[in-house]
Amino acid sequence: EAQVTQNPRYLITVTGKKLTVTCSQNMNHEYMSWYRQDPGLGLRQIYYSMNVEVTDKGDVPEGYKVSRKEKRNFPLILESPSPNQTSLYFCASSLGARGGEETQYFGPGTRLLVL
Amino acid sequence: GQSLEQPSEVTAVEGAIVQINCTYQTSGFYGLSWYQQHDGGAPTFLSYNALDGLEETGRFSSFLSRSDSYGYLLLQELQMKDSASYFCAVSNQAGTALIFGKGTTLSVSS
């Protein structure tokens, strides 16, 4: 089954404790992206990757890191989480970012609470 | 920069037709997409327009006017299960980003 998986689905942590949210896709997509979703603000892009070893900042990259060592995986790293990073996070993958045939497939989401 | 405007909430009754508008400002436009998101779930793709005109997919249609930087999603024969959030999103010419609007919450009542 074609899918994007994220782990963990739910996470409660404390300020400053490094964490990683994993994202994996099995569709051989080149483009992968991370979004955060907050009430009233919609989906905001954190980082994206056009291909292996190619990553770039989205609209809200502060406090986050990513890596793309393999095509299928695109982990999101919070080196020192803070309460303002409490949010719902989505990973997405697609052939590209132009839409249409390059439609994005989203993972199930990760709910993060930083105390 | 890029920005999208869509209404925050829309209400309708079962069987009705509803239109969700989206206006955008973007430097370099490639296409307009629509996504649906049920409460607590992941966004899923609904429709896409790269050229002016109407695209129809079952009960859902989407329209684009590039000259007006405007599009809309039309939902016909509304059902209770259509209660969800709907997002418009623009993709840039470079194909590097899909920028989402803040979403429209549609509530369908019986």
Side-chain angles (χ1 to χ4, degrees), chain B residues 56-61 74-79 81-82:
Chain B
E56 297 181 72
T57 311
R59 295 188 297 115
F60 297 168
S61 304
L74 191 72
L75 299 87
Q76 302 182 75
E77 300 172 19
L78 281 173
Q79 303 174 10
K81 67 178 182 180
D82 297 328

Side-chain angles (χ1 to χ4, degrees), chain B residues 26-41:
Chain B
T26 180
S27 53
F29 172 85
Y30 194 87
L32 183 69
S33 302
W34 289 91
Y35 284 78
Q36 178 191 58
Q37 184 184 31
H38 284 99
D39 201 25

Side-chain angles (χ1 to χ4, degrees), chain B residues 36-59:
Chain B
Q36 178 191 58
Q37 184 184 31
H38 284 99
D39 201 25
T44 55
F45 173 77
L46 283 179
S47 191
Y48 173 74
N49 298 73
L51 303 176
D52 286 358
L54 193 67
E55 291 287 336
E56 297 181 72
T57 311
R59 295 188 297 115

Side-chain angles (χ1 to χ4, degrees), chain A residues 9 31 35 37 40-43 45 48 50 59 88 90 96-109 111, chain B residues 2 30-33 35 37 39-45 48 87 90-103:
Chain A
R9 294 288 314 279
Y31 184 92
Y35 298 89
Q37 185 173 28
L41 297 179
L43 289 150
Q45 190 179 50
Y48 66 91
M50 299 291 288
D59 293 325
L88 175 59
F90 287 103
R98 291 198 173 96
E101 290 180 353
E102 298 179 356
T103 183
Q104 296 209 346
Y105 295 85
F106 284 81
R111 285 198 178 274
Chain B
Q2 294 168 308
Y30 194 87
L32 183 69
S33 302
Y35 284 78
Q37 184 184 31
D39 201 25
T44 55
F45 173 77
Y48 173 74
F87 295 89
V90 296
S91 39
N92 60 11
Q93 277 280 3
T96 56
L98 193 64
I99 307 300
F100 285 81
K102 294 180 180 179

Side-chain angles (χ1 to χ4, degrees), chain A:
Chain A
E1 179 190 355
Q3 60 182 350
V4 179
T5 57
Q6 294 178 228
N7 282 293
R9 294 288 314 279
Y10 304 90
L11 180 60
I12 302 174
T13 190
V14 295
T15 299
K17 187 177 181 181
K18 180 180 178 179
L19 67 93
T20 299
V21 184
T22 64
C23 174
S24 183
Q25 51 95 2
N26 62 1
M27 294 169 278
N28 202 35
H29 286 160
E30 294 189 346
Y31 184 92
M32 296 186 75
S33 182
W34 276 103
Y35 298 89
R36 62 177 289 174
Q37 185 173 28
D38 303 289
L41 297 179
L43 289 150
R44 293 181 293 167
Q45 190 179 50
I46 303 171
Y47 270 94
Y48 66 91
S49 169
M50 299 291 288
N51 212 328
V52 176
E53 302 292 2
V54 180
T55 63
D56 210 343
K57 296 176 182 179
D59 293 325
V60 288
E62 295 78 19
Y64 304 95
K65 284 176 57 177
V66 292
S67 68
R68 187 91 181 273
K69 295 185 172 59
E70 306 166 285
K71 198 171 189 178
R72 61 184 294 125
N73 296 322
F74 189 44
L76 179 70
I77 303 154
L78 285 72
E79 294 270 3
S80 183
S82 62
N84 65 11
Q85 292 178 297
T86 292
S87 188
L88 175 59
Y89 292 88
F90 287 103
C91 178
S93 76
S94 57
L95 293 171
R98 291 198 173 96
E101 290 180 353
E102 298 179 356
T103 183
Q104 296 209 346
Y105 295 85
F106 284 81
T110 295
R111 285 198 178 274
L112 173 64
L113 172 62
V114 183
L115 301 173

